[in-house]
């Protein structure tokens, strides 16, 4: 069995140096055009020329077959390139969407950071706390376990907790005093009523 190279007409190398499918396609196209032009010229010369023309046309059959194969391969490559381009474009679109989402999140975080930096503690009602020295002396052990240097935020929360406990205790004492005053007032009212009744009986 002869290879395709053995059956090809002279001067039609299937893989020229540095050639590709497109380059080979162009070469074959030019070869066939040249053979066709030569055949037409010989045919115009008369009977002998017509015989040579027929031989040229017959000898171009394998080149024409290769041309068809190359043409099919070129279109296959075009389809592969299109698919590759579509996949690449899809990857770019996905990356672009991800970038947009990240940019949105970044802008959101930047706005939050700016908001927090602009936040002033005195925007709300101020709570007068015990001075730090008094806090250290009055706070129970569980509230003195964190120093200001180690955790300023927790230290401030502990001061607030002590303030809450003290105010809660004071409120309890106030309510107890109020209840005592109410009870004393009721007892005094009863005694006054008793004395007034007794005076009425003696009169």
């Amino acid at each position: 069995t002869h290879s395709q190279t053995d059956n090809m007409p002279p001067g039609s190398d299937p893989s020229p140096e540095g050639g590709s499918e497109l380059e080979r396609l162009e070469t074959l196209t030019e070869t066939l055009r040249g053979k066709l032009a030569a055949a037409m010229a010989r045919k115009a010369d008369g009977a002998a020329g017509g015989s040579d023309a027929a031989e040229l046309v017959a000898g171009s059959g394998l080149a024409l077959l290769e041309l068809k194969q190359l043409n099919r391969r070129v279109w296959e490559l075009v389809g592969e390139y299109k698919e590759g381009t579509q996949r690449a474009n899809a990857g770019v679109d996905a990356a672009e969407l991800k970038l947009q989402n990240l940019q949105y999140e970044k802008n959101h975080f930047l706005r939050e950071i700016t908001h927090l930096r602009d936040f002033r503690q005195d925007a709300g009602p101020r709570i007068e706390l015990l001075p730090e020295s008094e806090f250290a002396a009055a706070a129970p052990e569980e509230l003195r376990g964190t120093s200001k240097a180690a955790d300023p935020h927790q230290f401030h929360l502990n001061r607030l907790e002590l303030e809450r406990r003290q105010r809660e205790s004071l409120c309890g004492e106030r309510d107890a005093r109020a209840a005592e005053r109410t009870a004393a007032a009721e007892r005094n009212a009863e005694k006054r009523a008793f004395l007034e009744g007794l005076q009425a009986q003696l009169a």
Side-chain angles (χ1 to χ4, degrees):
T1 304
H2 295 288
S3 66
Q4 184 179 357
T5 304
D6 297 333
N7 295 329
M8 293 180 66
S12 55
D13 183 7
S15 55
E17 184 177 358
S20 63
E21 283 85 352
L22 284 175
E23 292 172 347
R24 182 60 183 158
L25 186 63
E26 292 176 359
T27 301
L28 281 173
T29 302
E30 291 300 321
T31 299
L32 288 172
R33 284 177 180 170
K35 289 181 179 294
L36 180 59
M40 295 295 292
R42 292 182 184 182
K43 184 177 180 181
D45 290 340
S51 177
D52 292 340
E55 291 179 3
L56 284 170
V57 172
S60 301
L62 291 177
L64 184 60
L65 178 61
E66 185 188 1
L67 179 65
K68 290 180 180 179
Q69 293 174 345
L70 281 172
N71 185 61
R72 183 167 56 251
R73 177 56 184 158
V74 166
W75 281 110
E76 289 175 356
L77 288 173
V78 169
E80 292 174 4
Y81 291 150
K82 284 184 177 179
E83 290 179 2
T85 301
Q86 289 174 352
R87 287 194 298 270
N89 288 339
V92 170
D93 291 342
E96 216 172 81
L97 179 60
K98 186 175 182 181
L99 178 62
Q100 290 177 358
N101 291 336
L102 289 174
Q103 188 65 37
Y104 175 81
E105 292 181 6
K106 174 188 173 183
N107 292 337
H108 172 72
F109 287 134
L110 288 176
R111 287 194 298 269
E112 289 296 318
I113 291 172
T114 301
H115 176 71
L116 291 174
R117 284 177 175 173
D118 293 341
F119 177 76
R120 296 181 304 171
Q121 290 189 354
D122 59 355
R126 289 185 61 84
I127 299 176
E128 296 294 335
L129 301 177
L130 285 176
E132 294 181 11
S133 58
E134 295 183 23
F135 167 78
E141 181 63 29
E142 68 269 17
L143 297 182
R144 286 187 282 110
T146 302
S147 66
K148 184 177 182 180
D151 192 343
H153 179 65
Q154 186 60 49
F155 181 75
H156 184 70
L157 291 178
N158 291 346
R159 292 180 68 192
L160 287 172
E161 175 62 17
L162 177 64
E163 187 69 25
R164 184 192 68 79
R165 293 183 185 183
Q166 288 183 337
R167 293 192 181 193
E168 190 175 67
S169 176
L170 290 174
C171 288
E173 292 179 7
R174 179 200 60 192
D175 293 342
R177 296 274 197 285
E180 290 176 0
R181 284 198 299 271
T182 301
E186 290 175 353
R187 289 195 299 271
N188 289 337
E190 291 175 358
K191 290 179 181 180
R192 185 180 302 108
F194 174 76
L195 290 176
E196 288 177 354
L198 183 62
Q199 288 179 355
Q201 291 177 2
L202 294 176

